Amino acid sequence: MRMDSDVVASLLAESLRDRGVVAVWEDLAMPLLYGMGRKWEETQRYVEVEHLLSWCVSSALRRVAPAPAEPRARPVLLACRPRRTHSLPLEALAAALRERGLPHRVPGPCTPVEAVVRALRRTAPRAVVLWSHVGDADDVRALRATLRAAAGSAQSTKVCTAGPGWRPHAHLASLSEAMRALG
């Protein structure tokens, strides 16, 4: 609540070094973020604390050092759906993949489905993860387009959904599960 980003950054960096991305995300960052989100819902206050915490978590995840990667390994494509600005869980997945030396590509939040399809065709990923925070009909259309593109690919590409927007049908319900499926 003090908004001391230096302390938060230091604690996150130390925790990531000691425990790894999956444990820090599932046991520390995600519970803190959800807690701040609930605090805002209850009081309509402290959104600045939630945003600062999100920024610190994002910054810490991007600093995770990569493990040596297999030179010929096909990447995992991590994409947020259009109009989906909550990309932090994908940033956690990208950091966990990087920590294990697994290549990935992240076009970022609000990725148009056409861009996901072009990236899939260009990079021939071994998997595509479509993240959605809030599900709607556009998500279903995006999933269908991605599945068609993957089916037309010369190499096999697994298509996974992740995030609360896909519930109850998300393939990847947690970071641990995503790492088991993709790692």
Side-chain angles (χ1 to χ4, degrees):
M1 299 305 277
R2 293 183 316 195
M3 297 192 60
D4 190 338
S5 57
D6 292 337
V7 168
V8 173
S10 176
L11 291 170
L12 284 167
E14 182 181 323
S15 296
L16 285 164
R17 267 192 315 274
D18 295 346
R19 300 184 61 219
V21 172
V22 173
V24 169
W25 176 255
E26 291 183 346
D27 300 337
L28 178 65
M30 199 169 62
L32 281 171
L33 289 163
Y34 280 132
M36 286 310 306
R38 280 191 307 276
K39 185 76 141 172
W40 179 83
E41 286 175 358
E42 293 167 3
T43 66
Q44 299 297 298
R45 296 175 57 207
Y46 308 114
V47 71
E48 68 280 4
V49 176
E50 181 184 8
H51 283 233
L52 180 127
L53 180 59
S54 295
W55 180 263
C56 289
V57 170
S58 177
S59 297
L61 290 170
R62 289 172 191 255
R63 288 187 188 107
V64 170
E70 182 185 322
R72 293 196 188 308
R74 291 169 54 209
V76 176
L77 179 62
L78 309 175
C80 282
R81 291 287 305 113
R83 299 182 312 280
R84 305 299 184 257
T85 58
H86 293 281
S87 62
L88 204 49
L90 274 189
E91 292 178 43
L93 179 52
L97 291 168
R98 187 169 49 258
E99 183 178 63
R100 293 197 186 164
L102 300 171
H104 57 281
R105 305 294 181 264
V106 185
C110 302
T111 306
V113 66
E114 300 81 14
V116 173
V117 168
R118 284 192 303 270
L120 185 153
R121 290 179 179 143
R122 186 176 300 128
T123 64
R126 61 189 174 87
V128 176
V129 177
L130 295 175
W131 169 264
S132 178
H133 188 70
V134 179
D136 61 21
D138 286 340
D139 286 350
V140 174
R141 285 190 286 278
L143 178 59
R144 286 184 183 138
T146 305
L147 287 168
R148 278 193 304 274
S153 174
Q155 295 180 303
S156 175
T157 299
K158 182 178 189 176
V159 177
C160 303
T161 57
W166 298 106
R167 282 189 188 130
H169 304 293
H171 289 102
L172 308 176
S174 69
L175 185 54
S176 296
E177 188 175 323
M179 290 308 295
R180 282 192 297 276
L182 301 171

